[in-house]
Amino acid sequence: QVQVAESGGGSVQPGGSLTLSCTTSGPYYRRNCVAWFRQAPGKEREGVASIHRPSGTTSYADSVKGRFTIDQPNTNDITVFLQMNSLKPEDTAKYYCAARSCSTLVPPDTLAYDHWGQGTQVSVSS
């Protein structure tokens, strides 16, 4: 059984940085694609970034390109990070991590992921 859990949310001023962590467990082939999504109050859930873990290839939503980086450490196959720089008030949302089985990179424009975490709140304000 695959489990997903996020951590690292918090409050930050505009222009600041935060790093979110996604911890996954279970059979690797069932979680070899991981993505970050976010949902602001009153808005639909949207994809932010995704990674195909075997190849390391990544994809980003236009709204975060150049500011956010999805990455995985070389030391384990459990964790995926989302490094968020130059944060803006419009980045305020609950951020979710999700995992699925895949054979190639799945862009973050789909919610077709099988395993979801509970989310972690990110608030950007002055």
Side-chain angles (χ1 to χ4, degrees):
Q1 182 178 358
V2 175
Q3 294 186 321
V4 178
E6 308 90 342
S7 62
S11 298
V12 64
Q13 293 186 340
S17 298
L18 276 176
T19 299
L20 305 182
S21 297
C22 175
T23 302
T24 63
S25 62
Y28 179 70
Y29 77 96
R30 296 182 64 190
R31 54 181 174 87
N32 59 349
C33 271
V34 172
W36 285 96
F37 297 83
R38 66 186 181 186
Q39 188 167 19
K43 294 189 176 181
E44 294 185 352
R45 190 169 297 189
E46 63 173 354
V48 173
S50 61
I51 185 168
H52 177 247
R53 302 182 76 177
S55 66
T57 53
T58 59
S59 181
Y60 297 91
D62 289 343
S63 58
V64 306
K65 278 181 182 176
R67 300 189 298 123
F68 290 12
T69 301
I70 187 169
D71 197 8
Q72 56 183 350
N74 294 327
T75 54
N76 69 69
D77 66 358
I78 297 173
T79 308
V80 171
F81 299 108
L82 184 68
Q83 174 67 44
M84 305 185 294
N85 299 322
S86 303
L87 283 162
K88 305 175 181 180
E90 51 263 44
D91 294 318
T92 296
K94 194 165 188 178
Y95 283 70
Y96 297 87
C97 182
R100 58 169 284 173
S101 176
C102 64
S103 58
T104 188
L105 177 66
V106 179
D109 57 357
T110 173
L111 298 179
Y113 280 73
D114 301 312
H115 314 286
W116 292 79
Q118 295 299 308
T120 184
Q121 181 67 37
V122 172
S123 299
V124 185
S125 69
S126 53

